[in-house]
Amino acid sequence: METDSKYKKLVKNSAVFFIGNLGSKVITFLIVPFYTYFLTTEEYGTADLVTTTVNLLVPFAMMGMNEAVLRFTVSKEVDTKAIASNSMLVVLIGWAVCWLLSPLFHAFSVIGGNIVYFLLLLCLTSFNFVFMQLLRGIGKSKAFAANGVVITFATAISNVLALAVFHLGIGGYLASMVIAQLVGAVHIVITCRLWRLLSPRYVDKRALKGMLTYCIPLIPNSLMWWIMSASDRYVILFFIGAGANGIYNVAQKIPSIVNIVYNIFMQAWQISAIEERDSEDNAKFQSTVFRYIFVVLAIASSLIAASAYPVYTFLMSSAYEGSWQPVAMLSLANLFSCIAAFFGTTYVVTKESKKAFSTTAIGAVINIALTLVFVPPFGIMGAAGATAISYAVIAIVRARDTRKFVKLDFHKGEIVASFVLIGAQVVLSFLPFTPAVLAMEFALFAAVLIILRKGFIDIVRMGTKVVKNRK
């Protein structure tokens, strides 16, 4: 019964996060075609570089404190008021540093004309990243999930007004991002009643030292993940141009659905992994969860790869017609990325943040090298290939490293066969589109379903059992 409760709690938390995120993720997906009609490829590519740079700098602006907030709150090692006040102190210092560095940011051509939007977005995003984790850590799962919905609806409404009604272009797009983050921050303050948790007298220097010791090594780790996910855009910009970067960004949108769904699950999984770290059947628990997650992710990745051409040609503007071709490769890359992130949870549980950095750094170095080699001759397909290879390396290294801490039982036959089939789909994506190629893509998808049918049936059975035993 105790074992069943672990899965029940994981499923319950995942369901809460999924329901809370569903609306926001659907809107995020649906609004991409809207952007393609109101922004040129160059405008969208430039705006994407601004937001990508914000994502690069956020871990530095908040000193990686979001990671420490979750880890120390869930484990109840430090009082909640001390965690909140310590975190706010770090966030305020980060804000001050960001504004002092504004002349440096202004020197970059992409940011220079949008410096105010850039700084506001950077500061508000860092605040939200930190205190959303506080909501999650203290058990306010519904409020945590709702915050994502609030931000997304605010983004969608302000985007429609800025682009479709007032035709403000890139400035309007970035202003809508700032407004959305501001609305999200207000939601957090009210929901968390943050004013009750913040006070200079709650600052605990000893706890702050422990939190920083844990999270500071994760800052370069975040940088390495950014390199993995975003550095190819700058290489594409340098060798091909902003237009190609816009097309590549659109190509990533549907494959990233796999990451979006997985990240929702990870919000629940990290909590369960920390809480169950000392249980006797932890290895069995993690092995079972990994198998089920792999089955779902592999099937989803294969389906996206198979349906890339019809979906992209139907949804996107003709200016983005070439965006379908890298989708299969990007789906494979995202699958490897999710596996690497799953094994990365081990470092969160064991507080081995330095190992999290070292494994990511290996992949980042490989990613940069291969992107520089592959993009000039192969264009955006080369960038996608470099990303897939580097994520694969991280996944393999982390899988081996994780077994030093937890003796996981892998279903190697299913995993290898699935990757071979999805790899075949990637090979087909290099060919010019024909109905025969489309038929072969879906035949390979059917083969993936057959290979993983047992695991899929087990998932359905366990889900049914959890629902029936619901109290």
Side-chain angles (χ1 to χ4, degrees):
M1 185 65 181
E2 183 180 353
T3 299
D4 289 343
S5 67
K6 296 178 181 181
Y7 297 102
K8 182 178 178 180
K9 184 172 183 179
L10 178 59
V11 171
K12 180 182 177 181
N13 285 339
S14 298
V16 170
F17 293 134
F18 181 77
I19 293 171
N21 282 272
L22 180 61
S24 63
K25 302 310 179 186
V26 169
I27 292 173
T28 300
F29 169 71
L30 293 178
I31 206 169
V32 173
F34 171 80
Y35 292 146
T36 67
Y37 283 96
F38 287 95
L39 295 172
T40 66
T41 56
E42 288 77 11
E43 288 175 331
Y44 192 35
T46 300
D48 175 66
L49 287 174
V50 173
T51 55
T52 298
T53 306
V54 167
N55 291 333
L56 163 66
L57 296 177
V58 161
F60 295 92
M62 61 184 178
M63 296 289 287
M65 189 57 66
N66 61 318
E67 302 284 356
V69 168
L70 178 64
R71 180 63 181 79
F72 283 80
T73 305
V74 173
S75 62
K76 297 179 171 47
E77 297 176 34
V78 179
D79 180 71
T80 302
K81 290 181 179 179
I83 292 174
S85 297
N86 289 348
S87 301
M88 193 68 232
L89 175 62
V90 172
V91 167
L92 289 174
I93 293 172
W95 286 1
V97 172
C98 288
W99 284 92
L100 288 173
L101 293 177
S102 59
L104 176 63
F105 297 140
H106 195 277
F108 291 91
S109 58
V110 173
I111 298 173
N114 305 290
I115 186 65
V116 175
Y117 295 133
F118 171 80
L119 289 171
L120 290 174
L121 191 58
L122 178 59
C123 292
L124 289 169
T125 302
S126 63
F127 175 88
N128 288 343
F129 272 30
V130 170
F131 288 97
M132 280 181 70
Q133 296 308 315
L134 183 66
L135 284 174
R136 182 175 158 204
I138 62 178
K140 290 184 176 290
S141 300
K142 294 180 180 178
F144 171 81
N147 187 259
V149 177
V150 169
I151 291 176
T152 304
F153 270 95
T155 301
I157 293 171
S158 55
N159 266 327
V160 170
L161 291 174
L163 298 178
V165 178
F166 297 110
H167 303 286
L168 298 178
I170 292 178
Y173 174 89
L174 294 175
S176 68
M177 298 293 132
V178 172
I179 291 170
Q181 291 297 325
L182 178 60
V183 172
V186 172
H187 175 266
I188 290 174
V189 171
I190 294 173
T191 305
C192 200
R193 296 185 178 183
L194 201 55
W195 58 88
R196 296 184 176 182
L197 302 176
L198 299 179
S199 174
R201 69 177 183 273
Y202 296 150
V203 173
D204 185 328
K205 294 181 180 179
R206 182 177 179 181
L208 179 59
K209 181 180 179 181
M211 293 171 72
L212 290 173
T213 300
Y214 171 74
C215 69
I216 285 178
L218 294 174
I219 298 175
N221 182 61
S222 297
L223 174 62
M224 295 300 103
W225 274 113
W226 178 88
I227 290 173
M228 296 284 294
S229 63
S231 63
D232 48 6
R233 301 177 190 181
Y234 293 92
V235 177
I236 290 171
L237 176 67
F238 179 79
F239 285 107
I240 311 175
N245 183 65
I247 292 173
Y248 186 66
N249 181 257
V250 170
Q252 291 178 315
K253 293 302 181 182
I254 295 181
S256 67
I257 292 174
V258 174
N259 286 84
I260 289 170
V261 174
Y262 179 74
N263 287 336
I264 294 173
F265 162 77
M266 280 293 291
Q267 294 167 5
W269 171 240
Q270 286 184 340
I271 294 173
S272 292
I274 294 171
E275 291 178 342
E276 301 297 331
R277 62 190 183 278
D278 297 323
S279 63
E280 294 181 359
D281 62 342
N282 184 40
K284 180 181 178 182
F285 178 54
Q286 290 205 34
S287 298
T288 302
V289 172
F290 173 73
R291 186 193 180 198
Y292 291 168
I293 284 301
F294 177 80
V295 168
V296 173
L297 294 175
I299 291 173
S301 299
S302 180
L303 177 59
I304 291 171
S307 59
Y309 182 84
V311 170
Y312 271 74
T313 54
F314 175 75
L315 288 178
M316 306 304 173
S317 164
S318 59
Y320 293 80
E321 62 181 357
S323 60
W324 69 272
Q325 199 165 16
V327 170
M329 185 75 79
L330 290 170
S331 296
L332 180 62
N334 285 336
L335 179 56
F336 279 123
S337 171
C338 291
I339 293 173
F342 182 91
F343 294 131
T345 303
T346 302
Y347 304 133
V348 175
V349 173
T350 59
K351 294 184 181 179
E352 294 284 352
S353 48
K354 292 181 180 179
K355 290 189 176 181
F357 163 67
S358 63
T359 53
T360 310
I362 293 171
V365 171
I366 294 173
N367 180 265
I368 292 175
L370 293 182
T371 300
L372 291 171
V373 172
F374 290 169
V375 167
F378 302 114
I380 60 176
M381 289 293 286
T387 300
I389 293 171
S390 53
Y391 277 133
V393 171
I394 295 180
I396 292 170
V397 172
R398 286 189 172 184
R400 291 179 176 177
D401 199 23
T402 295
R403 297 201 70 179
K404 298 176 184 177
F405 299 96
V406 184
K407 300 299 181 182
L408 296 181
D409 180 20
F410 298 117
H411 288 72
K412 294 182 180 179
E414 292 180 350
I415 293 175
V416 172
S418 298
F419 277 121
V420 169
L421 292 170
I422 297 174
Q425 289 180 301
V426 172
V427 173
L428 289 175
S429 71
F430 283 85
L431 302 177
F433 175 79
T434 65
V437 170
L438 182 62
M440 286 188 285
E441 288 277 10
F442 275 98
L444 290 168
F445 167 64
V448 171
L449 284 175
I450 293 171
I451 291 294
L452 300 177
R453 67 188 184 280
K454 185 176 179 181
F456 185 77
I457 292 171
D458 288 344
I459 293 172
V460 174
R461 287 175 177 170
M462 174 164 283
T464 303
K465 183 179 181 181
V466 170
V467 171
K468 287 182 178 180
N469 292 337
R470 186 175 55 181
K471 294 183 179 180

